[in-house]
Amino acid sequence: MPTLRTYAAPTTADVIIIGAGINGLAIAREAARRGLHVVMLDKDDIAARTSAISTRLIHGGLKYLERLEIPLVFESIRERKILLQTAPHLVRPYPMLIPFSKQASRPGWLLSCGLILHDVLSLGKRLPSNRIVFSGRMKRDWPSVAQGGVSWGGLFQDAHVPVTERFAIELAVDAARHGATVLTHTPVTALLRERGRIAGVAYEDRETGERREVRAPVVVNSAGPWVDEVLDLEGEHARKIGPTKGSHLVVDAFPGVPDTCIFFESPDDHRPMFVLPWWDGKYMIGTTDLPYDGSIEDVVVDDDEIDYLLRAVNTLLPEAQLTADDVLWSYSGVRPLPYVADLDNPASVTRDSEIIAHTGDASGLMTVIGGKYTTHRALGEEVLRHIEKALGLAHMPSSTRDARFPGAPAAPMSRFRKTFVDRSALPARTATRLADLYGAQAHVIESIAATDPALADVIDDETGAIAAEIVHAVREEGAITLEDVLIRRSAIALNSDVALAAAPRAAAVLVAHAGWTSDRADAEVARYRESVRRFRPRALASEPATSP
């Protein structure tokens, strides 16, 4: 399998993609599978910022029904079905309860009609039918919701991807397997202009700091909230992005905690909110949606957002009585939505995507605005059609409609998990983690662990992660920094302390098995501790910030 890390970057390509978030990944995968020579660059890591703040739903577009955006509903239903089939180890069925409350802005009968209509529109889906939940079942299956005064509701059958980090990495791996060059921690410093059009980019080599150039007839700006920053390199332009801030809280299980996701309205402003059963017994609470005009480099949840989110849950589930002290950590970022002057209601801004093919002196450049995890593949397919047109190529059917993700096992996921765990020489807990997190790629990590007993050692007691995962992250999946390893490859940082305790152990593994020096390891641990402050981890609440 080709590594995602490339040092000898090419000087020419068919397509250059700026931004390795979910949009850039989708486009790179689509174009590489089309046989095009792709170079993708990002100043950070794979899906490290905006794509890292998702609510992690692969949703069927229920919310679009109310606005009668039927094409978006159909697209969401279709893409959800494709992902359940092509990435069964990552995308999982996810029923969610929608309480029908007298205080809600929408009456229960209207929501019931929406659930029925959604079933009609999604005939042939890979999920059970939606259901109306009446008083008896509500009291039996969701007693804490019933105690809060809700007597009936709807059960919407949806899907989610609990570890979006692995989802994004597998998209990058698939693109690399088909010839894409993926350059992370590589900032683009200029757009190159030749013969009156955009003809490539200049970038800073991450190893030497030297300026390098790569040319291509098509450059795609998929930088998310940084779209305008990239366009600034081209010249003056109308503002494209008007970001809104979204934040989530991570907590342990609490009194009255539900077994299924609950999709409800905030008692303050009727904004849609979620209580989400998540990963390793943890829960997420989210999300906010606020106009935002501050720095987009380091976005952090504020105290008002924490109060807003906890108040909503405590109102819905009176047993919960959550306080700020219960928050293990949080994550916050901005959505790259189209710019709207004098924005009062962020929820009113369209969540549909837009593709801009620039003209005149900026011809050769395309800009992508918006985009979602659920419909990322469809966006990639649509952008590829623009690329084909720009390159004078005939349109070819997309291979990603049925192409399975690199970690997708051949057998059904439940059968694969059982077989892998039963046959593995690793302890059952470790083998189960590897199967659930990496899918079929668990075999690769198991083989690394077999080369040295030390690589089978557990380096994080809470998650059961082993040293071989750290080596695999660097050798096979292009991790450069300790943050890349702990957050986006091994997902150890999804534990209670965002992997602060595991960080020195992981760095020691890389000294022993990946050629890191002790000085580099110490510096990476220090940088990691400062970097994760953006999550406001409870484990660092009493420590002042320091410069690494």
Side-chain angles (χ1 to χ4, degrees), residues 531-548:
S531 176
V532 298
R533 287 186 182 277
R534 69 182 187 271
F535 302 131
R536 287 187 64 169
R538 190 171 68 184
L540 286 181
S542 61
E543 292 187 19
T546 59
S547 298

Side-chain angles (χ1 to χ4, degrees), residues 251-305:
V251 298
D252 280 324
F254 52 87
V257 67
D259 293 329
T260 58
C261 173
I262 302 182
F263 179 22
F264 67 108
E265 288 188 359
S266 163
D268 292 348
D269 55 10
H270 300 294
R271 169 171 167 70
M273 295 185 64
F274 299 90
V275 177
L276 304 114
W278 183 35
W279 185 251
D280 275 356
K282 293 175 181 57
Y283 283 73
M284 287 196 304
I285 300 168
T287 175
T288 57
D289 194 4
L290 302 169
Y292 187 78
D293 209 23
S295 169
I296 58 177
E297 296 300 329
D298 289 296
V299 186
V300 180
V301 68
D302 62 38
D303 291 342
D304 288 343
E305 288 178 284

Side-chain angles (χ1 to χ4, degrees), residues 204-217:
E204 182 182 303
D205 185 280
R206 70 162 175 255
E207 293 295 306
T208 66
E210 296 176 352
R211 173 188 165 105
R212 293 185 182 272
E213 296 180 352
V214 56
R215 286 168 169 75

